[in-house]
Amino acid sequence: MCRFAHNTAGSINTQGRVVLPTNVVPRHYDVTLEPDFDKFTFEGTVIIDLDVAQDSSSISLNTNEIEIHTTTVHADGALVTSSPKISYDADTQTSTIDLDHQLKKGQRVQLKHTYTGQLNDNMAGFYRSKTKSGQFLAVSQFEATDARRALPCFDEPALKAEFTATLIADEKMTCLSNMDVASTTTIDSKITNGKRKAVKFNRSPKMSTYLLAFVVGELKSIATDKFRLPIKVWMTPDQKDTDGQFSLEVAAKTLAFYEKAFQAPYPLPKMDMVAIPDFAAGAMENWGLVTYRVVDLLFDQKTAGAATKERVAEVVQHELAHQWFGNLVTMDFWDGLWLNEGFATWMSWYSCNEFYPEWKVWETFVIDTLQGALGLDGLRSSHPIEVPVHRAEDINQIFDSISYSKGSAVLRMISKYIGEDVFIDGVRRYIKKHAWGNTQTGDLWAALSEASGKDVSTVMDIWTKKIGYPVVSVTENEKDGSITVKQNRFLRTGDVKPEEDETLYPVILGLRTKDGVDESLILREREQTFKVAGGLDFYKLNADHSALFRTSYSPERLVKLGEAAKKGLLTVEDRAGMIADAGALAASGYSKTSGILSLIESFNTEDQFVVWNEILSRISSVRNTWMFEDEAVRDGLKAFQRQLVSKKAHELGWEFSENEDHIMAQYKALMFGSAGLAGDEKVLKAAKDMFAKYASGDHDAIHPNIRASVLAMAVRDGGEKEWEAVRARAHEAPTADERNSCLRTLGRTQKPELIQRTLEIALSGEVKTQDIYMPIGGLGTTPEGIEKRYDWMRTNWSTLVEKLPPSMTMLSSVVAICVNGFTSEKQLKDVQEFFSDKDKKGYDRSLEQSQDSIRSKIGQLNRDKSDVEQFLKDKGYYGGAQGKL
């Protein structure tokens, strides 16, 4: 197998990558690890079988925070050296073994290291996690480049090998790895001077180092026999068995569904899924041993809200899709990360729609995944889906909405273009051809082209290799019933430069008329004219919003589309997507902000959750942009929201039946929370009554669907008593879901002293490192919270860098949270000055994106400050008055 795929259709520039020499190729690792929970270290032994690909006198491999004690090298069974010179390059995290001996091409080499590693608390590598009762687990998180923290290895995705793992631990502890157990023996421990068990696992198939996984700790499990192989959900003893039942059932159905869809059997002998108390990401797809944040695997089906159930299903299905797409077939390097994450995201929506059609998840996709992609990709500092990455610290920054959301949106676009069944057939061909190997994007396009008979790569290459997407402006030609469409690069800042507008995207127009949808029309030039079947009376571009572009219509056409929506001519996706486009175009200067407010006002009779979700998202965006403006304007926008939602909230109510419809439950919760947080007195009174009972110990007084909203109202409008009650419940909550709601709510306070205490909690040790972003995130709802949060970040910068190393994604997230709320030139300048002398390695992309977001808000305010004020005055909302619809 070549290191990089031969197919050049998807090739990208590989120059500048910091990678290992290609003189040796790993074939098998035999690794033994023994954690020490007193010293927070672990003892390791690794024996690596290598093939010599080039005559060599040295071997280089990756290590990080590992102290190597002994090294021996054998070639074709004969000792080469037992005390070689080893040099270490901290910048590239590479150890080089100088052999003082020439290895010959074709020889088989065995390299053995004994070493000590750090059982760190950074949630990276082989690290420690702490349970509620104070017990420790040793767990692993190796993606992207942290396997090197657990063992010396060739830590690149294309350097696949087989693994035999052995874990040594106390008898009472559970030991898990990717494969099933081969044997359990009793041995003399290097750490305890006594006896411990050694659990050896069967040899794995060929896989990348980032998918290797280990878990050691006191755990319990539940199992199912509803799949042909064993599936278990593991948890710490303090968790309830029943909390893992839903995930277990979803996993069994999903593995069977994927086997059928891909026509390829799940290739490992078991599937373990483990809830980890400390976990930086949402979940990790380690082959055969998937690890999760507790909240993304376990929940109480009796007390959790509908959104929690949907989130858990999506996460489990996402990780299990990786067992084929990512694990069996793997990108050749990290610039192809989207092949893993974009597909797993698309597949999780696809399978969720199969299992739970009543959830209508493709409607949610338009306001969730698609808008996430378009939001980030509308920034100048975005990046292509296939982004060149050269160093380890660059990789973690691309685990973002481009790789996940834009990647999956591109796949949704092509699946609509060629048909879902054909798309899945292409995926089958791709998996069959490249199983156990590594690929580039062009390999997927080739398989889809073969299945569809269409030139997929020509249509799709630009979408993955170029940054951004277009806005398509529509001009109507009344004489012949045609439309002229023109594409230009879209930027949220509205200041596209000529050199940034050179890409011509193949835009699948998806023209909806009364005759149906024409998916065959593609805008390939800057400007083209197309006939509209049935004339201009009714049409809409981007049917169901399955393509990546914004559409700019004339104000007159927007009015007509609003009327069409009321007549039932537009789908839920059409209506939500149209509002999203109008909001984004107003923010970037294509239209006035008063225009999107007027459009939203015309949707006051809308009755679908997804559309209302997008409406409120756009109102929230405007309110966030006007966060630091005159109080009369801010109160006016709040009154506008209140007037829009209150009647609907009262009609729907906030009582939930035992078998409440999944979407209706979320709809009721959305309207209740939006009305109450906008000051609706009836909702506020109901929330106050519920919270009083909740704070007195009746924790069933608030239904889980509205718990976050009730807590937010109580903390925002209350004082120290309410804040302390929520803080106390965060520690006592029986589920991660409720705990997280409490932590996020603390930042809603408007009291200066409580804002300060919320910030202090974040770094006090009271909140797990994985959850630092929760309390500080809530502070983004007031000007005082935003400013104090930024001051806190500056004051505690050195602590944050130490606690959240740049190699992790969490520092990047904290920077974005603390900077994103700003809206003025002065605030932007302050940010630039603070970071001017900082080492921005590991978060530079996030920082630039945050600054671009501020620039977008500055531009909107400069253009439309008086426009919004006049709208509010004309409608009677200015100063918080009741207004009129």
Side-chain angles (χ1 to χ4, degrees):
M1 184 187 78
C2 291
R3 193 153 175 229
F4 299 108
H6 285 296
N7 190 307
T8 58
S11 64
I12 68 173
N13 180 15
T14 62
Q15 293 182 347
R17 287 180 181 171
V18 178
V19 294
L20 293 168
T22 57
N23 58 321
V24 295
V25 180
R27 297 302 181 197
H28 177 257
Y29 295 78
D30 191 327
V31 58
T32 300
L33 299 177
E34 181 177 5
D36 185 335
F37 290 109
D38 293 323
K39 296 179 180 178
F40 297 135
T41 60
F42 60 90
E43 298 302 314
T45 302
V46 65
I47 302 169
I48 312 174
D49 295 328
L50 304 164
D51 287 348
V52 180
Q54 302 166 13
D55 291 357
S56 310
S57 58
S58 66
I59 298 172
S60 295
L61 71 173
N62 298 116
T63 60
N64 188 14
E65 296 185 349
I66 283 176
E67 181 186 355
I68 296 175
H69 302 307
T70 65
T71 302
T72 58
V73 181
H74 288 78
D76 292 336
L79 180 67
V80 173
T81 179
S82 59
S83 56
K85 177 185 175 185
I86 301 178
S87 57
Y88 184 64
D89 186 333
D91 189 48
T92 61
Q93 300 176 353
T94 303
S95 290
T96 299
I97 305 162
D98 293 318
L99 299 173
D100 197 26
H101 175 93
Q102 191 77 0
L103 299 175
K104 297 298 182 182
K105 180 179 179 180
Q107 282 190 301
R108 294 192 170 182
V109 169
Q110 193 169 79
L111 167 64
K112 180 179 180 180
H113 291 296
T114 62
Y115 57 94
T116 300
Q118 301 300 310
L119 206 60
N120 68 70
D121 60 355
N122 292 330
M123 297 178 285
F126 196 38
Y127 70 92
R128 65 183 186 268
S129 176
K130 193 175 182 180
T131 68
K132 274 186 177 181
S133 60
Q135 301 299 308
F136 286 99
L137 292 78
V139 301
S140 64
Q141 171 57 40
F142 292 162
E143 190 178 30
T145 58
D146 284 316
R148 63 192 67 178
R149 292 177 185 266
L151 67 156
C153 60
F154 297 80
D155 202 9
E156 296 170 15
L159 298 178
K160 290 186 171 185
E162 296 174 347
F163 293 84
T164 301
T166 301
L167 296 174
I168 299 172
D170 292 344
E171 184 64 37
K172 64 182 178 180
M173 291 190 172
T174 297
C175 296
L176 302 172
S177 189
N178 306 80
M179 296 295 289
D180 53 344
V181 173
S183 64
T184 301
T185 56
T186 300
I187 64 167
D188 294 322
S189 168
K190 294 180 181 178
I191 292 174
T192 66
N193 295 321
K195 300 291 184 181
R196 285 182 124 182
K197 68 178 179 182
V199 181
K200 184 175 183 177
F201 299 88
N202 282 311
R203 186 170 177 141
S204 77
K206 191 165 67 167
M207 65 183 188
S208 303
T209 48
Y210 78 89
L211 295 169
L212 186 61
F214 313 111
V215 175
V216 178
E218 291 187 51
L219 299 169
K220 63 180 181 178
S221 67
I222 58 174
T224 181
D225 58 1
K226 293 180 181 178
F227 183 63
R228 60 180 182 81
L229 297 170
I231 303 175
K232 291 182 180 179
V233 168
W234 294 86
M235 64 199 79
T236 54
D238 54 291
Q239 301 286 351
K240 292 192 298 184
D241 291 9
T242 52
D243 287 0
Q245 196 60 45
F246 178 76
S247 297
L248 191 66
E249 292 168 2
V250 169
K253 289 196 295 185
T254 300
L255 286 175
F257 177 76
Y258 287 167
E259 282 194 332
K260 184 178 179 181
F262 302 143
Q263 293 183 3
Y266 170 68
L268 269 65
K270 54 87 178 177
M271 169 55 68
D272 287 320
M273 305 196 300
V274 190
I276 307 296
D278 301 272
F279 200 76
M284 176 62 208
E285 67 266 20
N286 314 300
W287 218 353
L289 180 57
V290 182
T291 45
Y292 296 81
R293 227 177 230 245
V294 173
V295 73
D296 288 321
L297 185 69
L298 308 179
F299 70 96
D300 187 334
Q301 294 190 64
K302 293 180 180 178
T303 64
T308 298
K309 186 174 184 178
E310 188 170 324
R311 164 70 180 172
V312 168
E314 187 272 326
V315 173
V316 170
Q317 290 171 309
H318 179 107
E319 301 310 321
L320 296 185
H322 275 308
Q323 306 303 302
W324 287 264
F325 226 96
N327 299 6
L328 182 61
V329 182
T330 312
M331 77 261 150
D332 73 345
F333 198 66
W334 295 104
D335 42 36
L337 175 68
W338 89 276
L339 278 171
N340 282 15
E341 300 302 347
F343 181 82
T345 302
W346 183 89
M347 200 68 201
S348 68
W349 290 92
Y350 177 77
S351 55
C352 205
N353 187 58
E354 287 288 324
F355 294 169
Y356 309 104
E358 68 278 10
W359 292 3
K360 300 179 181 178
V361 293
W362 286 122
E363 293 179 359
T364 307
F365 184 95
V366 171
I367 63 167
D368 183 312
T369 303
L370 179 62
Q371 297 311 317
L374 295 175
L376 179 53
D377 209 29
L379 297 176
R380 182 172 275 114
S381 50
S382 181
H383 61 83
I385 288 176
E386 291 185 87
V387 57
V389 288
H390 302 126
R391 305 174 58 83
E393 60 267 17
D394 297 332
I395 296 166
N396 283 326
Q397 292 197 75
I398 64 168
F399 283 80
D400 61 10
S401 288
I402 300 302
S403 296
Y404 286 74
S405 299
K406 187 179 181 184
S408 63
V410 161
L411 293 175
R412 178 173 178 255
M413 180 167 65
I414 198 64
S415 71
K416 287 270 192 175
Y417 177 60
I418 65 175
E420 278 189 357
D421 291 344
V422 175
F423 178 81
I424 292 293
D425 180 45
V427 169
R428 289 181 194 128
R429 295 167 188 250
Y430 171 83
I431 290 173
K432 183 177 181 180
K433 183 174 182 179
H434 300 287
W436 312 108
N438 297 82
T439 60
Q440 294 181 335
T441 297
D443 297 308
L444 177 59
W445 297 158
L448 295 176
S449 296
E450 183 182 307
S452 66
K454 296 182 178 180
D455 186 0
V456 172
S457 63
T458 298
V459 175
M460 300 309 296
D461 248 9
I462 289 174
W463 287 107
T464 58
K465 289 181 169 54
K466 298 293 185 180
I467 191 172
Y469 59 89
V471 53
V472 173
S473 303
V474 184
T475 303
E476 299 179 358
N477 308 307
E478 294 284 354
K479 288 184 179 179
D480 62 357
S482 65
I483 54 173
T484 299
V485 292
K486 181 181 180 181
Q487 63 164 301
N488 294 97
R489 168 86 181 275
F490 175 81
L491 282 180
R492 280 165 55 186
T493 44
D495 57 349
V496 180
K497 301 169 185 175
E499 63 269 24
E500 295 172 321
D501 194 21
E502 294 175 349
T503 300
L504 293 178
Y505 302 88
V507 182
I508 302 171
L509 291 172
L511 179 62
R512 184 186 296 283
T513 67
K514 288 181 178 179
D515 295 336
V517 179
D518 187 346
E519 298 278 10
S520 68
L521 300 182
I522 299 180
L523 172 63
R524 299 181 186 273
E525 307 298 329
R526 175 71 66 191
E527 189 172 358
Q528 287 177 251
T529 298
F530 298 93
K531 193 81 170 176
V532 178
L536 299 178
D537 181 45
F538 167 69
Y539 73 90
K540 183 188 175 297
L541 294 181
N542 204 3
D544 293 335
H545 286 254
S546 57
L548 282 89
F549 65 94
R550 302 283 191 194
T551 309
S552 177
Y553 299 103
S554 68
E556 295 77 17
R557 177 51 56 181
L558 274 178
V559 171
K560 290 180 179 179
L561 284 171
E563 293 169 354
K566 291 181 178 179
K567 293 176 183 176
L569 296 175
L570 299 180
T571 64
V572 169
E573 296 95 321
D574 283 332
R575 303 195 306 270
M578 184 174 78
I579 290 165
D581 282 359
L585 292 168
S588 58
Y590 280 82
S591 60
K592 289 292 185 183
T593 303
S594 59
I596 179 61
L597 296 176
S598 295
L599 178 66
I600 284 171
E601 207 173 29
S602 72
F603 273 76
N604 64 317
T605 59
E606 176 61 50
D607 63 356
Q608 291 296 310
F609 161 69
V610 163
V611 183
W612 270 109
N613 201 320
E614 188 58 37
I615 286 171
L616 289 161
S617 174
R618 294 299 155 179
I619 294 175
S620 176
S621 177
V622 174
R623 291 182 66 185
N624 288 339
T625 299
W626 264 257
M627 178 66 71
F628 291 90
E629 300 309 305
D630 291 344
E631 189 173 359
V633 175
R634 289 189 281 125
D635 286 346
L637 288 169
K638 182 178 176 181
F640 173 74
Q641 176 176 321
R642 181 171 65 246
Q643 180 74 352
L644 198 65
V645 301
S646 286
K647 182 181 178 182
K648 184 66 69 174
H650 299 163
E651 288 175 358
L652 293 171
W654 38 89
E655 298 290 332
F656 298 87
S657 65
E658 189 173 338
N659 298 310
E660 188 78 59
D661 175 79
H662 181 81
I663 294 176
M664 180 55 71
Q666 294 179 81
Y667 189 16
K668 286 181 177 181
L670 175 70
M671 303 312 283
F672 172 86
S674 299
L677 290 169
D680 180 88
E681 291 296 337
K682 186 176 180 181
V683 170
L684 284 172
K685 183 182 184 307
K688 188 174 182 179
D689 292 344
M690 284 184 259
F691 182 78
K693 296 175 183 176
Y694 180 85
S696 298
D698 180 6
H699 298 116
D700 294 329
I702 307 175
H703 193 278
N705 284 323
I706 56 173
R707 181 166 50 216
S709 295
V710 171
L711 298 182
M713 293 175 219
V715 171
R716 184 196 63 178
D717 299 336
E720 184 175 13
K721 178 183 176 183
E722 289 78 10
W723 188 89
E724 283 288 6
V726 174
R727 178 189 184 183
R729 185 58 181 168
H731 295 295
E732 299 163 1
T735 66
D737 180 41
E738 185 177 357
R739 182 201 67 210
N740 291 354
S741 293
C742 292
L743 290 177
R744 288 189 173 100
T745 298
L746 292 174
R748 286 280 187 167
T749 181
Q750 299 185 74
K751 307 290 185 186
E753 64 276 14
L754 295 178
I755 290 174
Q756 192 58 43
R757 288 175 65 185
T758 300
L759 289 166
E760 289 168 359
I761 281 175
L763 289 176
S764 67
E766 184 175 333
V767 174
K768 282 179 174 287
T769 302
Q770 67 171 16
D771 298 329
I772 282 176
Y773 69 92
M774 291 184 186
I776 67 171
L779 290 163
T781 57
T782 64
E784 297 79 8
I786 292 169
E787 289 175 329
K788 293 292 185 184
R789 180 174 64 187
Y790 179 68
D791 291 343
W792 167 85
M793 182 200 73
R794 292 197 306 180
T795 302
N796 294 282
W797 181 250
S798 59
T799 304
L800 286 167
V801 172
E802 181 183 351
K803 202 173 184 74
L804 310 172
S807 61
M808 296 169 56
T809 58
M810 288 195 65
L811 181 62
S812 180
S813 298
V814 168
V815 167
I817 289 169
C818 292
V819 170
N820 263 338
F822 288 151
T823 66
S824 73
E825 289 280 7
K826 181 182 182 303
Q827 291 167 332
L828 176 60
K829 187 178 179 182
D830 287 346
V831 171
Q832 292 169 331
E833 288 179 354
F834 175 75
F835 285 103
S836 62
D837 62 348
K838 302 294 185 290
D839 180 358
K840 292 179 275 294
K841 184 188 296 181
Y843 65 90
D844 56 317
R845 193 186 296 276
S846 174
L847 176 61
E848 188 53 45
Q849 289 164 355
S850 297
Q851 292 178 112
D852 268 354
S853 179
I854 298 171
R855 292 184 186 102
S856 173
K857 288 182 275 190
I858 292 169
Q860 187 175 9
L861 284 169
N862 287 342
R863 288 187 304 269
D864 289 350
K865 190 179 295 189
S866 60
D867 171 64
V868 168
E869 183 175 327
Q870 192 60 50
F871 172 87
L872 295 172
K873 286 178 177 177
D874 291 345
K875 295 289 185 177
Y877 297 114
Y878 188 73
Q882 186 62 34
K884 52 188 182 294
L885 282 178

